Each structure stands twice: as C-alpha cells, then as structure tokens.
C-alpha cells in the first residue's frame, strides 16, 4: 500500500461511513411500516394477490356456479380438493350430475391457485380472510358449498 | 429552589450525623451509597435495554415493544423478572470454579467503573487523583471475565468468541487510552472532579478544538468497540458463534453479562461526556452571560444524563447502521488507522498545549 493510497483510503472510508449513517438516519425518521394487528382489524388492507383460504361464492338465493366437473380436483398438486357429485333427475327426464359436496382440506393446501385458474365456470376463489387457526386438525377440512345450495341457472 | 441532588444528600447527611454516633452515620452512608449505585446500575440497565430496543425499531422502521404497559415501558421489567426466575442450568465438563466466577468478574469490573463516574455536582462515589487511569485499568478487567467465560465453557464457539474478544479489547484499549491522554495533556490532571471543574467555562472539546475533536471521535469508535457491540460484536456474533463467550450461560449468570454489556455502553458514554463534553457542567459560551445564567438553572444530573443519552444514541445509530467487521478488518481499523491517528493527534495536542493555541 503506497502512502497516497493509504491517505485516499481514509477519505473513502469516512465517506462511505457517512453515507451509511445518513441513510440510516433517513430511515429513523420514516413512519413505522409495522401495524398493530388486532387493533387495526377494521382498517386492515390486504394486498391483492394474497391468498388465505379457498371459498365458493354463493349468491343471495343460495346458488353457486360449480358444475361438479372435477377439474379443480385433477389440477390440485397435493390432493387438497375432493369433488363429490351425485346424479339427479332433471326436469326433461334425463339424469344430470350435480355437486353434492366440495371438500377442501385447508391444512393440505399450498395456495398455488391452480384450481382457481383452471375452473371453467369461475366457481371458486381465494378469499383474504386469513384468521383460520383452529384447535383440531379435523376442523381444517371444510365443505365449500353451503347446505341446500344448487347450481346457478344460466342467464337466458 | 435548588433541584440539585447534592442538597438532598446534605440533608440526609446532617440528619444522620445529628442523631447517630459518627461511626454509625458513616457506616449507614457508605451502605446507602453502595445500594444506590447498585439500584442505579440495575435501573439504568433496564432503561437502556428498553431504549435500545425502541431506537433499533425506529431505525428499522418498526414500532418496537408496545404491549407491556404504555408504549411497552414495562417490557424490560417483565424480561428482568423472567431472567431472575429462570433456572441456572449446570453444564457438564466445565471448569466449575472459573465458569461460575466469570460473570461476577465482568459485572464487578463494570460496577467499579460505574461507581467512579461523576453523575452530578458533588455526586461521585470514588474520586481518585488518578481517576482516568483508574477507569482505564478497572474497565479492562472485564476482558478477563470474558476470557474466563470462554475458556471455562469447554465449547469451541465460546473459546473463539473469547479469543476474538481478547484481540479486540487489547487493541482498542490503546486508542481509548491515547485519546484520553490527549485531554489529560490539555488539562494537566487525571482527577475526574478536577477535569469537570476545568470545563466550567468551556468544554474540553471546544477548548482543545481540532485535536480534542479528533480524540473525541477516536474515543467514541474505540469505546464502542470495547463494549462488544455494533459492528464490533465479533465476540458474540450471533450468526457465527451462537452467542460467543456466553453461549453456555443461563438464568442470572447470562443476565449479568447482558446487564454488563448495556452498562458498559453507559459507562463509555459517561466517560466521553465527562472528559470531552464537560460532565455535569452546563453548556457555557464565554461572553453570553445571559445564556450561561439560564443554562445554570438546569440541574447538573440532567445535564450529565442528557449528554450521556445523546452519546448512547450515537452509539446505537452506529450499531444499527454498519455490518459486522471481519477479525482482520477489525485489527486493520485499529492498528493501521486509529492508532497512528491517535499518536499523531497527541503530537498535535502537545504542540497546541506548549504554544498555548487552545482556548
């Protein structure tokens, strides 16, 4: 190390230290980004792409859009979804496959969104309701269609 | 109205001397001074841990402890209670005597240094005529405790931590000593009370201007390294050595190391405030008599604590800004940068004192 480079290293060192200190001082005066969680429940802003639990939206007449095609079950990488269908007699005399139970195991889900992306009728979505902790594992097995719900009639 | 702590002390002293024989009055006073220092030590440590956590949180754009009590002020009280109730886990194959002695060595060293600080006008437990020397000597005993802790733990991480600590403390002690020496040259005394008295009109950092300021900065860097914190926390180095020299300690023994670490921060800031920033003396500017008069109304212990906490804030600022140094970088910084500069600084100070170029 030559003498001139030694002198130079002093300058470089002091300059870089001053830069670091000024940056942390800038951060010191910023507003904290942390939120106090249980208190801010009512004003909580979740980010758009956050996925917490799979849900099947129902309209006011207790109707959903699931046709029980089973594509979500097929596309699920880890067997989280089980679509249980039943056959029913339709008005014109033919038999028709309808949804009996849409079983979703929250404890097994990796929230990959493949089921929602492949669903042809847009029957399932991920909600942002993240408060899903329960005391027993069996409670993590959910039925997504509400009892007594039927397939929504196509708009004529 | 006099807000100085000294008036309270004098009242107590007169009351005791009037009602008791001299021996018992002195004995009770000695005991209560000791108790007050111990209590102050513990309370300051708790306060410092809270301050550290809050300031750290603000630097990281967080909120920090905010659940226990308003703004989380009882967080460290709760932590201390937890620490006191925890079990001291016996470790197999340690050198038992040294293992259990080490935390006491560390805490005794920092306690003895703490006792020598002049906290306010007339509030100083130990006032030697070699005060600066005493502080330097006694504060370097804590390195012995750290080395013992690392050695007796019979653990490679602890040993590496202790060895790093040894290299670090011995190196940085030099800069601390040399930078304090610059001020000792300027003032011509080592007695802390006299040092403070000489700064009544103007603090040493202004009296000695350039060399005093350089000494101040070197002292802050080297003193910060002595406390094993911030970018100089190699002896603990969580990510490399679990917790370094105190890996094997639990319960109150760990608590002692923790307490000593935070109090050392206070002690380093306290010495810096005493030697460079006028100790408990208010800020006086020669010529501005009105300003000086107003400043005298603020009690001296508030001046001292304000200066100390300002310096502690600087140390926290550094700690939460820079990444940890490697051991070779650490030694580079001391032996190639700080030490030559402090030696040069002493030369400048000598010229300044001889030529009378100071204020």
């Amino acid at each position: 190390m030559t003498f001139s480079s030694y002198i130079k290293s002093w300058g470089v060192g002091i300059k870089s230290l001053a830069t670091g200190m000024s940056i942390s001082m800038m951060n010191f005066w910023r507003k904290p980004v942390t939120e106090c969680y249980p208190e801010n429940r009512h004003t909580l802003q979740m980010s758009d792409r956050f996925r917490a639990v799979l849900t099947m939206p129902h309209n006011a007449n207790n109707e959903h859009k699931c046709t029980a095609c089973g594509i979500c079950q097929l596309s699920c990488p880890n067997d989280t979804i089980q679509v249980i269908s039943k056959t029913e007699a339709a008005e014109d005399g033919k038999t028709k496959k309808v949804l009996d139970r849409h079983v979703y195991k929250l404890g097994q889900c990796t929230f990959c969104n493949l089921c929602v992306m492949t669903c042809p009728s847009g029957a399932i979505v991920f909600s942002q309701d993240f408060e899903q902790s329960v005391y027993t594992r069996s409670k993590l097995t959910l039925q997504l269609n509400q009892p007594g719900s039927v397939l929504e009639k196509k708009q004529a | 109205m006099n807000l100085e702590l000294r008036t309270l002390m004098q009242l107590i002293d007169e009351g005791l001397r009037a009602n008791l024989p001299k021996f018992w009055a002195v004995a009770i006073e000695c005991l209560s001074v000791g108790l007050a220092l111990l209590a102050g030590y513990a309370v300051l440590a708790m306060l410092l841990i809270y301050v550290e956590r809050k300031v750290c949180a603000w630097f990281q754009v967080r909120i920090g402890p905010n659940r226990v009590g308003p703004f989380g002020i009882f967080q460290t009280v709760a932590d201390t209670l937890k620490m006191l109730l925890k079990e001291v886990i016996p470790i197999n194959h340690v050198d038992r005597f040294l293992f259990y002695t080490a935390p006491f060595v560390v805490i005794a060293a920092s306690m003895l240094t703490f006792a020598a600080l002049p906290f306010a006008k007339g509030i100083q437990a130990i006032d030697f005529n070699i005060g600066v020397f005493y502080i330097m000597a006694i504060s370097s005993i804590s390195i012995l405790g750290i080395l013992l802790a690392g050695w007796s733990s019979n653990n490679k991480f602890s040993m590496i931590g202790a060895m790093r600590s040894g290299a670090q403390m011995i190196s940085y002690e030099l800069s601390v000593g040399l930078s304090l020496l610059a001020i000792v040259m300027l003032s011509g005394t080592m007695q802390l009370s006299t040092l403070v008295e000489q700064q009544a009109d103007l603090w040493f950092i202004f009296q000695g201007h350039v060399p005093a300021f350089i000494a101040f900065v070197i002292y802050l860097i080297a003193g910060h390294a002595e406390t094993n914190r911030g970018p100089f926390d190699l002896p603990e180095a969580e990510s490399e050595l679990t917790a370094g020299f105190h890996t094997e300690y639990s319960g109150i023994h760990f608590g002692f190391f923790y307490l000593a670490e935070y109090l050392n921060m206070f002690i380093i800031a306290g010495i810096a405030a005493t030697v460079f920033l006028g100790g408990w003396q208010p800020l006086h500017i020669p010529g501005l008599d009105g300003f000086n008069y107003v400043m005298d109304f603020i009690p001296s212990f508030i001046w001292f604590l304000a200066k100390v906490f300002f310096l502690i804030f600087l140390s926290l600022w550094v700690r939460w800004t820079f990444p940890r140094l490697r051991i070779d970088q650490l030694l580079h910084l001391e032996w190639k940068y700080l030490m030559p500069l402090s030696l040069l600084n002493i030369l400048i100070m000598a010229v300044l004192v001889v030529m009378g170029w100071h204020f």
Side-chain angles (χ1 to χ4, degrees), chain B residues 291-314:
Chain B
F291 176 79
N292 295 348
Y293 185 70
V294 171
M295 285 294 141
D296 284 338
F297 276 102
I298 302 173
S300 55
F301 64 93
I302 291 186
W303 273 109
F304 181 74
L305 287 179
K307 286 168 194 173
V308 167
F309 275 91
F310 169 71
L311 293 175
I312 285 175
F313 177 77
L314 283 186

PDB file of all heavy atoms in Angstrom, chain B residues 291-314:
ATOM      1  N   PHE B 291     -27.220  33.803  28.511  1.00  0.00           N
ATOM      2  CA  PHE B 291     -27.382  32.397  28.110  1.00  0.00           C
ATOM      3  C   PHE B 291     -26.806  31.478  29.177  1.00  0.00           C
ATOM      4  O   PHE B 291     -27.453  30.522  29.612  1.00  0.00           O
ATOM      5  CB  PHE B 291     -26.674  32.200  26.768  1.00  0.00           C
ATOM      6  CG  PHE B 291     -26.687  30.789  26.277  1.00  0.00           C
ATOM      7  CD1 PHE B 291     -27.822  30.273  25.663  1.00  0.00           C
ATOM      8  CD2 PHE B 291     -25.575  29.965  26.412  1.00  0.00           C
ATOM      9  CE1 PHE B 291     -27.831  28.973  25.203  1.00  0.00           C
ATOM     10  CE2 PHE B 291     -25.589  28.671  25.960  1.00  0.00           C
ATOM     11  CZ  PHE B 291     -26.715  28.181  25.348  1.00  0.00           C
ATOM     12  N   ASN B 292     -25.601  31.795  29.652  1.00  0.00           N
ATOM     13  CA  ASN B 292     -24.949  30.971  30.674  1.00  0.00           C
ATOM     14  C   ASN B 292     -25.785  30.928  31.943  1.00  0.00           C
ATOM     15  O   ASN B 292     -25.909  29.886  32.591  1.00  0.00           O
ATOM     16  CB  ASN B 292     -23.562  31.540  31.000  1.00  0.00           C
ATOM     17  CG  ASN B 292     -22.640  31.450  29.816  1.00  0.00           C
ATOM     18  OD1 ASN B 292     -22.945  30.780  28.834  1.00  0.00           O
ATOM     19  ND2 ASN B 292     -21.521  32.152  29.886  1.00  0.00           N
ATOM     20  N   TYR B 293     -26.379  32.083  32.295  1.00  0.00           N
ATOM     21  CA  TYR B 293     -27.185  32.181  33.507  1.00  0.00           C
ATOM     22  C   TYR B 293     -28.413  31.265  33.416  1.00  0.00           C
ATOM     23  O   TYR B 293     -28.754  30.552  34.353  1.00  0.00           O
ATOM     24  CB  TYR B 293     -27.608  33.643  33.692  1.00  0.00           C
ATOM     25  CG  TYR B 293     -28.354  33.902  34.974  1.00  0.00           C
ATOM     26  CD1 TYR B 293     -27.703  33.843  36.212  1.00  0.00           C
ATOM     27  CD2 TYR B 293     -29.716  34.194  34.963  1.00  0.00           C
ATOM     28  CE1 TYR B 293     -28.384  34.078  37.384  1.00  0.00           C
ATOM     29  CE2 TYR B 293     -30.406  34.429  36.136  1.00  0.00           C
ATOM     30  CZ  TYR B 293     -29.731  34.369  37.347  1.00  0.00           C
ATOM     31  OH  TYR B 293     -30.416  34.578  38.501  1.00  0.00           O
ATOM     32  N   VAL B 294     -29.047  31.289  32.237  1.00  0.00           N
ATOM     33  CA  VAL B 294     -30.229  30.443  32.040  1.00  0.00           C
ATOM     34  C   VAL B 294     -29.847  28.967  32.106  1.00  0.00           C
ATOM     35  O   VAL B 294     -30.529  28.157  32.732  1.00  0.00           O
ATOM     36  CB  VAL B 294     -30.898  30.778  30.687  1.00  0.00           C
ATOM     37  CG1 VAL B 294     -31.984  29.768  30.368  1.00  0.00           C
ATOM     38  CG2 VAL B 294     -31.465  32.180  30.709  1.00  0.00           C
ATOM     39  N   MET B 295     -28.711  28.622  31.484  1.00  0.00           N
ATOM     40  CA  MET B 295     -28.280  27.224  31.454  1.00  0.00           C
ATOM     41  C   MET B 295     -28.004  26.686  32.856  1.00  0.00           C
ATOM     42  O   MET B 295     -28.183  25.500  33.122  1.00  0.00           O
ATOM     43  CB  MET B 295     -27.004  27.095  30.599  1.00  0.00           C
ATOM     44  CG  MET B 295     -27.253  27.199  29.121  1.00  0.00           C
ATOM     45  SD  MET B 295     -28.234  25.816  28.557  1.00  0.00           S
ATOM     46  CE  MET B 295     -29.307  26.593  27.397  1.00  0.00           C
ATOM     47  N   ASP B 296     -27.580  27.584  33.779  1.00  0.00           N
ATOM     48  CA  ASP B 296     -27.275  27.153  35.142  1.00  0.00           C
ATOM     49  C   ASP B 296     -28.507  26.665  35.893  1.00  0.00           C
ATOM     50  O   ASP B 296     -28.386  25.988  36.912  1.00  0.00           O
ATOM     51  CB  ASP B 296     -26.634  28.309  35.927  1.00  0.00           C
ATOM     52  CG  ASP B 296     -25.188  28.501  35.518  1.00  0.00           C
ATOM     53  OD1 ASP B 296     -24.610  27.524  34.999  1.00  0.00           O
ATOM     54  OD2 ASP B 296     -24.654  29.613  35.694  1.00  0.00           O
ATOM     55  N   PHE B 297     -29.694  27.009  35.406  1.00  0.00           N
ATOM     56  CA  PHE B 297     -30.906  26.607  36.117  1.00  0.00           C
ATOM     57  C   PHE B 297     -31.222  25.131  35.924  1.00  0.00           C
ATOM     58  O   PHE B 297     -31.945  24.545  36.706  1.00  0.00           O
ATOM     59  CB  PHE B 297     -32.103  27.460  35.667  1.00  0.00           C
ATOM     60  CG  PHE B 297     -32.183  28.753  36.391  1.00  0.00           C
ATOM     61  CD1 PHE B 297     -31.754  29.927  35.797  1.00  0.00           C
ATOM     62  CD2 PHE B 297     -32.658  28.801  37.700  1.00  0.00           C
ATOM     63  CE1 PHE B 297     -31.808  31.118  36.470  1.00  0.00           C
ATOM     64  CE2 PHE B 297     -32.711  29.990  38.382  1.00  0.00           C
ATOM     65  CZ  PHE B 297     -32.289  31.149  37.768  1.00  0.00           C
ATOM     66  N   ILE B 298     -30.699  24.547  34.853  1.00  0.00           N
ATOM     67  CA  ILE B 298     -30.951  23.114  34.621  1.00  0.00           C
ATOM     68  C   ILE B 298     -30.060  22.326  35.569  1.00  0.00           C
ATOM     69  O   ILE B 298     -28.850  22.538  35.600  1.00  0.00           O
ATOM     70  CB  ILE B 298     -30.669  22.759  33.153  1.00  0.00           C
ATOM     71  CG1 ILE B 298     -31.548  23.611  32.241  1.00  0.00           C
ATOM     72  CG2 ILE B 298     -30.909  21.286  32.903  1.00  0.00           C
ATOM     73  CD1 ILE B 298     -31.237  23.464  30.785  1.00  0.00           C
ATOM     74  N   PRO B 299     -30.627  21.407  36.385  1.00  0.00           N
ATOM     75  CA  PRO B 299     -29.812  20.686  37.368  1.00  0.00           C
ATOM     76  C   PRO B 299     -28.701  19.882  36.700  1.00  0.00           C
ATOM     77  O   PRO B 299     -28.843  19.422  35.560  1.00  0.00           O
ATOM     78  CB  PRO B 299     -30.817  19.755  38.054  1.00  0.00           C
ATOM     79  CG  PRO B 299     -32.140  20.300  37.758  1.00  0.00           C
ATOM     80  CD  PRO B 299     -32.050  21.032  36.482  1.00  0.00           C
ATOM     81  N   SER B 300     -27.593  19.703  37.455  1.00  0.00           N
ATOM     82  CA  SER B 300     -26.403  19.110  36.837  1.00  0.00           C
ATOM     83  C   SER B 300     -26.619  17.660  36.438  1.00  0.00           C
ATOM     84  O   SER B 300     -26.083  17.224  35.427  1.00  0.00           O
ATOM     85  CB  SER B 300     -25.232  19.223  37.794  1.00  0.00           C
ATOM     86  OG  SER B 300     -25.562  18.640  39.027  1.00  0.00           O
ATOM     87  N   PHE B 301     -27.425  16.897  37.220  1.00  0.00           N
ATOM     88  CA  PHE B 301     -27.600  15.487  36.831  1.00  0.00           C
ATOM     89  C   PHE B 301     -28.367  15.364  35.522  1.00  0.00           C
ATOM     90  O   PHE B 301     -28.150  14.434  34.739  1.00  0.00           O
ATOM     91  CB  PHE B 301     -28.260  14.674  37.955  1.00  0.00           C
ATOM     92  CG  PHE B 301     -29.655  15.079  38.317  1.00  0.00           C
ATOM     93  CD1 PHE B 301     -30.735  14.466  37.738  1.00  0.00           C
ATOM     94  CD2 PHE B 301     -29.876  16.094  39.248  1.00  0.00           C
ATOM     95  CE1 PHE B 301     -32.017  14.833  38.081  1.00  0.00           C
ATOM     96  CE2 PHE B 301     -31.154  16.454  39.598  1.00  0.00           C
ATOM     97  CZ  PHE B 301     -32.227  15.832  38.998  1.00  0.00           C
ATOM     98  N   ILE B 302     -29.237  16.360  35.247  1.00  0.00           N
ATOM     99  CA  ILE B 302     -29.939  16.333  33.953  1.00  0.00           C
ATOM    100  C   ILE B 302     -28.963  16.592  32.822  1.00  0.00           C
ATOM    101  O   ILE B 302     -29.021  15.936  31.772  1.00  0.00           O
ATOM    102  CB  ILE B 302     -31.096  17.346  33.965  1.00  0.00           C
ATOM    103  CG1 ILE B 302     -32.170  16.846  34.919  1.00  0.00           C
ATOM    104  CG2 ILE B 302     -31.664  17.562  32.562  1.00  0.00           C
ATOM    105  CD1 ILE B 302     -33.411  17.644  34.940  1.00  0.00           C
ATOM    106  N   TRP B 303     -28.033  17.536  33.041  1.00  0.00           N
ATOM    107  CA  TRP B 303     -27.007  17.785  32.016  1.00  0.00           C
ATOM    108  C   TRP B 303     -26.220  16.523  31.733  1.00  0.00           C
ATOM    109  O   TRP B 303     -26.005  16.162  30.577  1.00  0.00           O
ATOM    110  CB  TRP B 303     -26.054  18.893  32.472  1.00  0.00           C
ATOM    111  CG  TRP B 303     -26.517  20.248  32.126  1.00  0.00           C
ATOM    112  CD1 TRP B 303     -26.978  21.190  32.994  1.00  0.00           C
ATOM    113  CD2 TRP B 303     -26.580  20.838  30.821  1.00  0.00           C
ATOM    114  NE1 TRP B 303     -27.332  22.318  32.305  1.00  0.00           N
ATOM    115  CE2 TRP B 303     -27.092  22.126  30.977  1.00  0.00           C
ATOM    116  CE3 TRP B 303     -26.260  20.384  29.553  1.00  0.00           C
ATOM    117  CZ2 TRP B 303     -27.299  22.979  29.910  1.00  0.00           C
ATOM    118  CZ3 TRP B 303     -26.455  21.223  28.479  1.00  0.00           C
ATOM    119  CH2 TRP B 303     -26.977  22.501  28.661  1.00  0.00           C
ATOM    120  N   PHE B 304     -25.806  15.847  32.829  1.00  0.00           N
ATOM    121  CA  PHE B 304     -24.985  14.655  32.649  1.00  0.00           C
ATOM    122  C   PHE B 304     -25.757  13.587  31.877  1.00  0.00           C
ATOM    123  O   PHE B 304     -25.277  13.044  30.885  1.00  0.00           O
ATOM    124  CB  PHE B 304     -24.546  14.121  34.017  1.00  0.00           C
ATOM    125  CG  PHE B 304     -23.668  12.914  33.923  1.00  0.00           C
ATOM    126  CD1 PHE B 304     -22.354  13.036  33.522  1.00  0.00           C
ATOM    127  CD2 PHE B 304     -24.151  11.654  34.215  1.00  0.00           C
ATOM    128  CE1 PHE B 304     -21.540  11.923  33.414  1.00  0.00           C
ATOM    129  CE2 PHE B 304     -23.347  10.539  34.115  1.00  0.00           C
ATOM    130  CZ  PHE B 304     -22.040  10.683  33.720  1.00  0.00           C
ATOM    131  N   LEU B 305     -26.989  13.309  32.335  1.00  0.00           N
ATOM    132  CA  LEU B 305     -27.761  12.247  31.688  1.00  0.00           C
ATOM    133  C   LEU B 305     -28.076  12.602  30.238  1.00  0.00           C
ATOM    134  O   LEU B 305     -28.059  11.739  29.366  1.00  0.00           O
ATOM    135  CB  LEU B 305     -29.050  11.968  32.474  1.00  0.00           C
ATOM    136  CG  LEU B 305     -28.828  11.235  33.792  1.00  0.00           C
ATOM    137  CD1 LEU B 305     -30.153  11.032  34.496  1.00  0.00           C
ATOM    138  CD2 LEU B 305     -28.173   9.889  33.549  1.00  0.00           C
ATOM    139  N   ALA B 306     -28.357  13.887  29.984  1.00  0.00           N
ATOM    140  CA  ALA B 306     -28.675  14.291  28.610  1.00  0.00           C
ATOM    141  C   ALA B 306     -27.487  14.043  27.695  1.00  0.00           C
ATOM    142  O   ALA B 306     -27.635  13.489  26.597  1.00  0.00           O
ATOM    143  CB  ALA B 306     -29.071  15.760  28.580  1.00  0.00           C
ATOM    144  N   LYS B 307     -26.288  14.414  28.171  1.00  0.00           N
ATOM    145  CA  LYS B 307     -25.094  14.187  27.348  1.00  0.00           C
ATOM    146  C   LYS B 307     -24.866  12.704  27.126  1.00  0.00           C
ATOM    147  O   LYS B 307     -24.556  12.265  26.019  1.00  0.00           O
ATOM    148  CB  LYS B 307     -23.874  14.794  28.035  1.00  0.00           C
ATOM    149  CG  LYS B 307     -23.820  16.295  27.956  1.00  0.00           C
ATOM    150  CD  LYS B 307     -22.754  16.810  28.892  1.00  0.00           C
ATOM    151  CE  LYS B 307     -22.922  18.297  29.091  1.00  0.00           C
ATOM    152  NZ  LYS B 307     -22.006  18.803  30.115  1.00  0.00           N
ATOM    153  N   VAL B 308     -25.021  11.939  28.221  1.00  0.00           N
ATOM    154  CA  VAL B 308     -24.774  10.503  28.109  1.00  0.00           C
ATOM    155  C   VAL B 308     -25.757   9.868  27.132  1.00  0.00           C
ATOM    156  O   VAL B 308     -25.368   9.080  26.265  1.00  0.00           O
ATOM    157  CB  VAL B 308     -24.872   9.840  29.500  1.00  0.00           C
ATOM    158  CG1 VAL B 308     -24.934   8.345  29.370  1.00  0.00           C
ATOM    159  CG2 VAL B 308     -23.692  10.232  30.343  1.00  0.00           C
ATOM    160  N   PHE B 309     -27.032  10.252  27.237  1.00  0.00           N
ATOM    161  CA  PHE B 309     -28.002   9.616  26.344  1.00  0.00           C
ATOM    162  C   PHE B 309     -27.832  10.072  24.908  1.00  0.00           C
ATOM    163  O   PHE B 309     -28.086   9.301  23.975  1.00  0.00           O
ATOM    164  CB  PHE B 309     -29.427   9.812  26.858  1.00  0.00           C
ATOM    165  CG  PHE B 309     -29.793   8.774  27.858  1.00  0.00           C
ATOM    166  CD1 PHE B 309     -29.583   8.980  29.202  1.00  0.00           C
ATOM    167  CD2 PHE B 309     -30.291   7.551  27.455  1.00  0.00           C
ATOM    168  CE1 PHE B 309     -29.875   7.997  30.130  1.00  0.00           C
ATOM    169  CE2 PHE B 309     -30.587   6.563  28.370  1.00  0.00           C
ATOM    170  CZ  PHE B 309     -30.378   6.790  29.712  1.00  0.00           C
ATOM    171  N   PHE B 310     -27.344  11.291  24.709  1.00  0.00           N
ATOM    172  CA  PHE B 310     -27.015  11.720  23.349  1.00  0.00           C
ATOM    173  C   PHE B 310     -25.914  10.832  22.776  1.00  0.00           C
ATOM    174  O   PHE B 310     -26.018  10.350  21.637  1.00  0.00           O
ATOM    175  CB  PHE B 310     -26.570  13.191  23.367  1.00  0.00           C
ATOM    176  CG  PHE B 310     -25.968  13.649  22.076  1.00  0.00           C
ATOM    177  CD1 PHE B 310     -26.747  13.818  20.951  1.00  0.00           C
ATOM    178  CD2 PHE B 310     -24.610  13.892  21.987  1.00  0.00           C
ATOM    179  CE1 PHE B 310     -26.189  14.232  19.754  1.00  0.00           C
ATOM    180  CE2 PHE B 310     -24.039  14.302  20.791  1.00  0.00           C
ATOM    181  CZ  PHE B 310     -24.839  14.463  19.673  1.00  0.00           C
ATOM    182  N   LEU B 311     -24.875  10.572  23.588  1.00  0.00           N
ATOM    183  CA  LEU B 311     -23.768   9.737  23.101  1.00  0.00           C
ATOM    184  C   LEU B 311     -24.219   8.298  22.900  1.00  0.00           C
ATOM    185  O   LEU B 311     -23.786   7.621  21.961  1.00  0.00           O
ATOM    186  CB  LEU B 311     -22.596   9.802  24.077  1.00  0.00           C
ATOM    187  CG  LEU B 311     -21.932  11.171  24.163  1.00  0.00           C
ATOM    188  CD1 LEU B 311     -20.861  11.182  25.222  1.00  0.00           C
ATOM    189  CD2 LEU B 311     -21.326  11.542  22.820  1.00  0.00           C
ATOM    190  N   ILE B 312     -25.116   7.827  23.778  1.00  0.00           N
ATOM    191  CA  ILE B 312     -25.637   6.470  23.614  1.00  0.00           C
ATOM    192  C   ILE B 312     -26.431   6.383  22.313  1.00  0.00           C
ATOM    193  O   ILE B 312     -26.345   5.395  21.578  1.00  0.00           O
ATOM    194  CB  ILE B 312     -26.498   6.079  24.826  1.00  0.00           C
ATOM    195  CG1 ILE B 312     -25.587   5.771  26.007  1.00  0.00           C
ATOM    196  CG2 ILE B 312     -27.366   4.878  24.510  1.00  0.00           C
ATOM    197  CD1 ILE B 312     -26.313   5.498  27.276  1.00  0.00           C
ATOM    198  N   PHE B 313     -27.162   7.444  22.001  1.00  0.00           N
ATOM    199  CA  PHE B 313     -27.906   7.444  20.749  1.00  0.00           C
ATOM    200  C   PHE B 313     -26.947   7.346  19.555  1.00  0.00           C
ATOM    201  O   PHE B 313     -27.195   6.609  18.610  1.00  0.00           O
ATOM    202  CB  PHE B 313     -28.777   8.697  20.632  1.00  0.00           C
ATOM    203  CG  PHE B 313     -29.512   8.777  19.328  1.00  0.00           C
ATOM    204  CD1 PHE B 313     -30.641   8.002  19.130  1.00  0.00           C
ATOM    205  CD2 PHE B 313     -29.066   9.577  18.301  1.00  0.00           C
ATOM    206  CE1 PHE B 313     -31.304   8.035  17.926  1.00  0.00           C
ATOM    207  CE2 PHE B 313     -29.727   9.612  17.097  1.00  0.00           C
ATOM    208  CZ  PHE B 313     -30.856   8.839  16.909  1.00  0.00           C
ATOM    209  N   LEU B 314     -25.823   8.082  19.629  1.00  0.00           N
ATOM    210  CA  LEU B 314     -24.826   7.984  18.560  1.00  0.00           C
ATOM    211  C   LEU B 314     -24.356   6.541  18.416  1.00  0.00           C
ATOM    212  O   LEU B 314     -24.229   6.018  17.294  1.00  0.00           O
ATOM    213  CB  LEU B 314     -23.617   8.863  18.882  1.00  0.00           C
ATOM    214  CG  LEU B 314     -23.744  10.361  18.670  1.00  0.00           C
ATOM    215  CD1 LEU B 314     -22.400  11.011  18.902  1.00  0.00           C
ATOM    216  CD2 LEU B 314     -24.202  10.653  17.249  1.00  0.00           C
TER     217      LEU B 314
END
